[in-house]
């Protein structure tokens, strides 16, 4: 997350996100609170639903123009013009307040929403330009959290100003209420002006504007709408994400419209600050849920949160009409928001990930169109139920069934995401998962993933790292085990056997042609030594006629785990209470006709890159060594060939620290020489010098005297640490080093 805030323009962008949501909500809150004060019961629900409908309607009418403008022009420019329009609209809103023009102010809600309809695709499309694919989910988590903070702040600030404006004022109609709270309008104007000034600080994107033309005739006849919706429907991942978001926000709109009447009737609450505060708890929950989703999706998109969030939403909505305590309702709204945050952040990231750059504005505008159509439909049903005298409690029961149906559908569509998320959380207690090369993942088209096979959990690690569903190829003997087959069928596993491989290869070819992701391990079995084995050429028979790419991958960090075929001794040494690091590395896409020997070379290169990445996370050698010695405690830690210098962990640490202090006093210089045998004393002295941050030169006593003298000169060594007994033994063997030692301090 620190990397995001270091990006040029990200902080101004986040402030713009905050102010935009704050301003849009402010006017809506003031109008809704006015309705709440003057009207009761079903009339209140209907008028509240109409206010929300006026906000949603422009997104339906302006879907095509908004998407066109966002794709045609630079997104910062679109945001600047939209923000300038907001300044003018807030001035008109303030005028309406002072004049007491309730219907005019009511209508300005629609114009403010028109401005937002053009603003939204540019605003959310700009996230990808700023953050890139790798940090897309994290950036969306931050944006979602900031948006909700703005909503919470807007609810609190404008409700507070509203109640203070009415304190001690007698009113009987809407006009008198508006005139009493009119000074609050200047707050809208001030924040709109600051927002516009911040848009001027956004960095210009490197990409030039696209030369597109808008055909008003196609717009009037609906051809634009059909074509643009086709871009949305074409990608299944985008469409399912939009459906999920639409249902969530549709349910949210009904809750916003129905809860004030429920609170007034069931709880006897008439203070708008309390009622808005209860609903604001869901906003706090969305902040927490968004941050959880952003953290869980570091370097990749955690789709496992989607079904988990959907189930949480069902539980939270079910309890709303069951509770009659404001504190319990606050906790329930908090749960609703947390589940919602975990649900919507991955879905927003998936839409931006899968959309083509040149169509991103259109796709995001289409997302707005579908969401607002669903929200309008839900609000229409709310009005219909209100007319039929169905109370707010009945509405909440209906919402529970709707959310339950959506959750079941979500789990049905993403079973692999939920299962591997649970596995990942269990695995996270002992391992950290890092993804390298996330930008190399194609957002669409056939992808054949090929790489090393190191453990029984390779499939889970790859699916965690890849936001697209992955079909894995598995040996038929394992697949046909009765206790696994049903589970594996849920994941769409493709069984394969040596004598019956043709059918499986044809199935893989068909899946790749339809644009799916298939993972095959070309080694054929799990590694027994942790190294890359022979890459078999069977995959080359699956790519005929496929328009796609091979995506090489390398998994590091699972060798030595209990899920690998490593030795029991290695597992014990690896599972010593420390969290390991698993790296899933994706290389650059390769042509489908890449032969096995060339593929193996690319995977081998990835293994080197992952090792370099891993070494950056390691502790310094002396610190890691001391920690190991400490864990050994009183057990054997160090011994040499003679066996008469066997030391426990504590004794070894004592020796290293004592020698380290001696070296610190005697050798202020950086480079020191060591002339010692391969013994316990040699290890202790090496570690002691490293503990002081010294640069070590271990001298090979079998080398010639000239070579040793050259080494001393080049390394500028003035001090050598050695053993007098060792020097005597060398002299007995005919190796006289006195000439070398006379030139330095010994």
């Amino acid at each position: 997350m620190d990397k995001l805030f270091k990006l040029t323009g990200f902080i101004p962008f986040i402030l713009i996100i905050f102010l935009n949501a704050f301003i849009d909500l402010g006017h809506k809150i003031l109008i809704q609170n006015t309705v709440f004060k003057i009207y009761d019961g079903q009339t209140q629900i209907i008028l509240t639903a109409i206010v929300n409908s006026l906000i949603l309607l422009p997104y339906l009418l302006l879907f095509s123009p908004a998407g066109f403008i966002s794709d045609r022009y630079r997104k910062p420019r679109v945001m600047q013009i939209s923000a300038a329009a907001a300044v003018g609209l807030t001035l008109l809103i303030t005028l309406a307040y002072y004049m007491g023009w309730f219907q005019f102010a009511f209508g300005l809600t629609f114009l403010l929403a028109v401005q937002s309809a053009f603003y939204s695709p540019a605003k959310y499309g700009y996230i990808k330009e700023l953050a890139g694919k790798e940090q897309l989910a994290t950036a969306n988590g931050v944006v979602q959290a900031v948006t909700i903070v703005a909503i919470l702040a807007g609810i609190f600030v404008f409700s507070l100003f509203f109640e203070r404006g009415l304190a001690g004022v007698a009113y009987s109609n809407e006009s008198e209420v508006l005139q009493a709270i009119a000074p609050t309008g200047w707050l809208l104007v001030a924040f709109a002006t600051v927002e516009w000034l911040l848009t001027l600080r956004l960095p210009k994107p490197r990409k030039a504007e696209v030369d597109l033309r808008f055909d008003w005739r196609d717009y009037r006849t609906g051809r634009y709408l059909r074509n643009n919706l086709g871009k949305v429907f074409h990608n299944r991942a985008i469409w399912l994400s939009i459906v999920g978001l639409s249902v969530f926000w549709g349910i949210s709109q009904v809750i916003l419209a129905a809860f004030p009447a429920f609170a007034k009737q069931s709880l006897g609450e008439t203070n708008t600050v309390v009622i808005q505060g209860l609903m604001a708890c869901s906003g706090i929950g969305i902040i927490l849920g968004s941050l959880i989703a952003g953290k869980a999706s570091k370097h990749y998109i955690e789709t496992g949160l989607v079904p988990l969030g959907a189930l949480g939403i069902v539980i939270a909505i079910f309890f709303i009409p069951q509770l009659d305590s404001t504190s319990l309702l606050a906790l329930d709204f908090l749960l609703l928001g947390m589940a919602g945050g975990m649900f919507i952040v991955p879905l927003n990231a998936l839409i931006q990930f899968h959309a083509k750059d040149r169509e991103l504005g259109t796709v995001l505008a289409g997302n707005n169109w579908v969401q607002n159509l669903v929200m309008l439909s839900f609000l229409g049903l709310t009005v219909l139920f209100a007319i039929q005298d169905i109370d707010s409690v009945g509405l909440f029961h209906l919402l529970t069934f709707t959310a339950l149906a959506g959750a079941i559908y979500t789990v049905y569509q993403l079973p692999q995401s939920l299962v591997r998320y649970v596995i990942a959380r269990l695995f996270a207690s002992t391992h950290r998962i890092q993804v390298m090369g996330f930008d190399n993942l194609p957002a669409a088209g056939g992808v054949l993933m090929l790489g090393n096979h190191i453990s029984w959990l390779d499939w889970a690690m790859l699916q965690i790292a890849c936001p697209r569903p992955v079909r894995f190829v598995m040996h038929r003997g394992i697949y046909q085990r009765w206790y696994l087959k049903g589970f594996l069928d849920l994941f769409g596993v493709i069984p394969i056997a040596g004598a019956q491989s043709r059918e499986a290869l044809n199935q893989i070819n068909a899946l790749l042609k339809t644009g799916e992701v298939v993972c095959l391990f070309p080694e054929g079995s799990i590694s027994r030594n942790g190294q890359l084995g022979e890459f078999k050429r069977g995959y080359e028979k699956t790519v005929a006629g496929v328009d796609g790419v091979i995506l090489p991958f390398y998994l590091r960090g699972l060798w030595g785990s209990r899920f690998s075929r490593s030795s029991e001794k290695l597992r014990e040494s690896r599972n010593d209470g420390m969290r390991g690091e698993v790296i899933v590395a994706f290389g650059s896409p390769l042509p489908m006709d890449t032969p096995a020997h060339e593929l193996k070379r690319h995977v081998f290169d990835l293994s080197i890159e992952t090792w370099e990445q891993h070494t950056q996370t390691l502790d310094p050698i002396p610190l890691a060594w001391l920690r190991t010695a400490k864990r050994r405690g009183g057990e054997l830690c160090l011994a040499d060939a003679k066996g008469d210098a066997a030391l426990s962990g504590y004794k070894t640490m004592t020796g290293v620290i004592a020698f380290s202090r001696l070296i610190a006093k005697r050798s202020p210089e950086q480079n020191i020489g060591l002339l010692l045998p391969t013994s316990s004393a040699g290890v202790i002295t090496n570690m002691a010098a490293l503990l002081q941050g010294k640069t070590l030169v271990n001298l090979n006593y079998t080398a010639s005297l000239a070579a040793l003298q050259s080494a001393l000169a080049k390394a500028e060594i003035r001090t050598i640490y050695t053993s007098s007994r060792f020097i005597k033994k060398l002299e007995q063997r005919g190796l006289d080093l006195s000439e070398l030692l006379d030139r330095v301090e010994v």
Side-chain angles (χ1 to χ4, degrees):
M1 195 171 292
D2 290 341
K3 293 181 181 179
L4 281 177
F5 287 94
K6 291 177 182 178
L7 293 174
T8 303
F10 191 77
I11 292 178
F13 176 69
I14 286 299
L15 292 174
I16 290 167
I17 293 290
F18 176 89
L19 292 172
N20 182 247
F22 186 79
I23 294 163
D24 285 353
L25 185 76
H27 177 57
K28 172 190 169 185
I29 288 293
L30 295 175
I31 293 296
Q32 280 191 175
N33 286 350
T34 302
V35 170
F36 181 82
K37 290 293 185 182
I38 302 300
Y39 299 98
D40 293 308
Q42 310 306 327
T43 305
Q44 178 192 323
I45 293 177
I46 292 170
L47 288 176
T48 303
I50 292 173
V51 172
N52 286 283
S53 299
L54 288 177
I55 295 171
L56 303 177
L57 195 58
Y59 288 93
L60 296 178
L61 300 177
L62 301 172
F63 161 37
S64 295
F68 170 82
I69 289 173
S70 182
D71 289 333
R72 168 67 176 84
Y73 300 100
R74 290 189 175 95
K75 292 174 177 61
R77 181 61 176 162
V78 177
M79 293 166 67
Q80 290 164 9
I81 295 172
S82 298
V87 176
L89 287 172
T90 52
L91 285 169
L92 285 175
I93 287 168
T94 304
L95 174 65
Y97 291 168
Y98 275 103
M99 301 302 295
W101 297 338
F102 177 73
Q103 293 180 350
F104 183 57
F106 205 93
L108 284 174
T109 306
F110 177 80
L111 291 181
L112 200 60
V114 169
Q115 176 261 350
S116 292
F118 286 102
Y119 206 137
S120 182
K123 178 174 64 177
Y124 286 103
Y126 194 56
I127 297 174
K128 191 175 182 179
E129 293 184 9
L130 270 180
K133 282 185 179 180
E134 186 172 328
Q135 300 186 83
L136 193 54
T138 304
N140 271 280
V142 173
V143 168
Q144 192 65 58
V146 169
T147 301
I148 300 304
V149 169
I151 291 172
L152 291 176
I155 290 172
F156 177 76
V157 170
F158 288 102
S159 292
L160 188 63
F161 273 86
F162 182 85
E163 291 291 343
R164 284 188 176 181
L166 291 181
V169 176
Y171 55 86
S172 59
N173 55 52
E174 306 96 324
S175 297
E176 292 174 353
V177 173
L178 285 184
Q179 288 173 333
I181 57 98
T184 308
W186 293 112
L187 193 64
L188 291 171
V189 176
F191 280 113
T193 304
V194 173
E195 179 190 358
W196 172 67
L197 292 174
L198 285 170
T199 61
L200 301 178
R201 296 186 57 189
L202 292 175
K204 293 182 179 179
R206 296 178 182 178
K207 296 180 181 179
E209 293 184 346
V210 182
D211 186 15
L212 298 173
R213 295 184 180 278
F214 190 80
D215 192 324
W216 287 100
R217 181 178 179 183
D218 286 348
Y219 174 60
R220 289 192 301 271
T221 58
R223 183 177 297 175
Y224 262 135
L225 179 62
R226 292 192 298 273
N227 291 341
N228 290 338
L229 286 177
K231 295 175 183 177
V232 172
F233 297 150
H234 177 71
N235 189 303
R236 186 170 179 270
I238 291 176
W239 171 239
L240 288 176
S241 299
I242 290 174
V243 169
L245 289 169
S246 300
V247 172
F248 173 77
W249 290 118
I251 290 172
S252 300
Q253 287 295 318
V254 178
I255 293 174
L256 289 174
F259 183 74
F262 168 78
K264 204 170 186 179
Q265 293 171 3
S266 302
L267 305 178
E269 185 60 63
T270 59
N271 191 317
T272 58
V273 175
V274 174
I275 292 172
Q276 298 290 357
L278 283 173
M279 291 191 291
C281 288
S282 65
I284 297 174
I286 290 181
I287 294 172
L288 296 174
S290 299
L291 295 177
I292 290 170
K295 185 176 181 180
S297 299
K298 189 177 181 181
H299 302 302
Y300 59 94
I301 301 173
E302 181 50 85
T303 56
L305 291 172
V306 177
L308 197 66
L311 295 172
I313 291 168
V314 175
I315 295 170
I317 296 174
F318 171 77
F319 279 107
I320 290 177
Q322 318 299 329
L323 302 173
D324 56 5
S325 164
T326 53
S327 57
L328 290 177
L329 278 167
L331 288 174
D332 194 52
F333 272 107
L334 186 70
L335 171 63
L336 177 63
M338 285 184 65
M342 292 189 294
F343 182 76
I344 62 180
V345 167
L347 293 182
N348 278 320
L350 283 173
I351 292 171
Q352 295 163 29
F353 174 82
H354 286 286
K356 298 176 182 177
D357 288 344
R358 64 179 181 273
E359 297 177 352
L360 182 57
T362 299
V363 170
L364 291 175
N367 177 33
N368 288 336
W369 190 88
V370 176
Q371 284 187 38
N372 285 278
L373 179 63
V374 173
M375 286 190 281
L376 273 174
S377 301
F378 273 64
L379 287 172
L381 290 173
T382 304
V383 172
L384 181 62
F385 289 138
I387 293 172
Q388 297 297 321
D389 288 330
I390 298 176
D391 61 12
S392 53
V393 174
L395 273 177
F396 281 114
H397 288 317
L398 183 62
L399 286 180
T400 302
F401 285 112
T402 304
L404 180 62
I408 293 171
Y409 182 73
T410 302
V411 173
Y412 172 75
Q413 289 293 336
L414 296 170
Q416 74 282 3
S417 296
L418 181 59
V419 173
R420 57 100 172 151
Y421 176 74
V422 173
I423 291 174
R425 298 285 67 77
L426 295 173
F427 198 63
S429 61
T430 55
H431 288 77
R432 291 184 299 267
I433 301 171
Q434 182 180 354
V435 180
M436 290 175 54
F438 185 79
D439 287 346
N440 292 325
L441 276 167
V447 177
L448 180 59
M449 296 173 65
L450 300 169
N452 65 322
H453 199 4
I454 209 73
S455 78
W456 298 102
L457 279 183
D458 292 351
W459 66 273
M461 300 300 106
L462 288 165
Q463 185 61 85
I464 286 170
C466 180
R468 298 176 61 182
V470 181
R471 303 286 296 273
F472 291 90
V473 180
M474 178 180 288
H475 192 276
R476 185 177 292 275
I478 299 173
Y479 167 81
Q480 289 181 334
R481 294 176 183 176
W482 65 269
Y483 53 87
L484 289 177
K485 191 173 183 301
F487 178 77
L488 297 175
D489 285 339
L490 187 67
F491 284 81
V493 166
I494 305 166
I496 191 170
Q500 300 173 327
S501 61
R502 183 183 296 276
E503 181 182 348
L505 296 177
N506 290 338
Q507 185 181 357
I508 295 169
N509 180 265
L511 290 170
L512 292 172
K513 286 180 177 178
T514 58
E516 294 205 38
V517 180
V518 179
C519 178
L520 191 151
F521 299 102
E523 292 171 289
S525 62
I526 296 176
S527 174
R528 294 185 178 275
N529 58 12
Q531 306 300 316
L532 286 178
E534 178 190 357
F535 275 28
K536 297 178 173 57
R537 300 178 57 185
Y539 75 87
E540 297 177 6
K541 301 175 183 178
T542 68
V543 299
V546 175
D547 182 17
V549 296
I550 288 175
L551 185 69
F553 66 83
Y554 184 80
L555 296 166
R556 192 201 177 283
L558 290 167
W559 177 249
S561 72
R562 59 183 176 274
F563 303 104
S564 66
R565 285 177 168 168
S566 57
S567 67
E568 194 67 32
K569 191 67 177 177
L570 180 60
R571 294 181 194 179
E572 290 177 4
S573 65
R574 291 289 177 90
N575 300 320
D576 53 7
M578 296 180 65
R579 290 183 72 195
E581 182 181 71
V582 175
I583 299 178
V584 183
F586 296 110
S588 300
L590 303 173
M592 276 292 186
D593 58 356
T594 302
H597 69 277
E598 186 176 339
L599 170 67
K600 184 176 179 179
R601 179 175 60 81
H602 284 281
V603 175
F604 182 77
D605 290 343
L606 282 175
S607 73
I608 297 173
E609 292 175 19
T610 59
W611 170 250
E612 291 175 346
Q613 178 72 21
H614 174 65
T615 56
Q616 294 176 10
T617 66
L618 297 177
D619 290 328
I621 291 175
L623 178 59
W625 190 86
L626 282 174
R627 283 177 173 167
T628 303
K630 182 180 179 182
R631 284 195 301 274
R632 299 297 297 178
E635 298 178 8
L636 177 65
C637 175
L638 185 62
D640 53 26
K642 291 185 177 181
D644 57 359
L647 301 174
S648 69
Y650 292 142
K651 287 183 178 180
T652 306
M653 288 177 63
T654 303
V656 168
I657 293 170
F659 271 69
S660 175
R661 290 176 177 175
L662 175 65
I663 291 171
K665 293 178 181 178
R666 298 291 301 273
S667 303
E669 68 270 23
Q670 176 63 33
N671 300 345
I672 62 173
L674 300 183
L675 186 59
L676 292 165
T678 53
S679 62
S680 298
V683 172
I684 288 174
T685 310
N686 270 272
M687 288 300 161
L690 287 172
L691 199 60
Q692 288 298 328
K694 302 296 184 181
T695 302
L696 301 182
V697 179
N698 276 280
L699 300 168
N700 182 4
Y701 58 87
T702 63
S704 66
L705 185 61
L708 291 172
Q709 289 174 340
S710 175
L712 292 183
K714 288 184 178 180
E716 299 179 351
I717 293 174
R718 300 194 301 273
T719 303
I720 288 179
Y721 287 82
T722 186
S723 159
S724 48
R725 186 166 64 173
F726 178 58
I727 294 297
K728 288 179 181 178
K729 286 187 176 181
L730 290 180
E731 290 175 353
Q732 292 172 1
R733 293 170 56 184
L735 296 174
D736 185 5
L737 299 178
S738 57
E739 184 178 345
L740 177 73
L741 300 178
D742 288 343
R743 303 173 63 176
V744 294
E745 181 181 354
V746 180

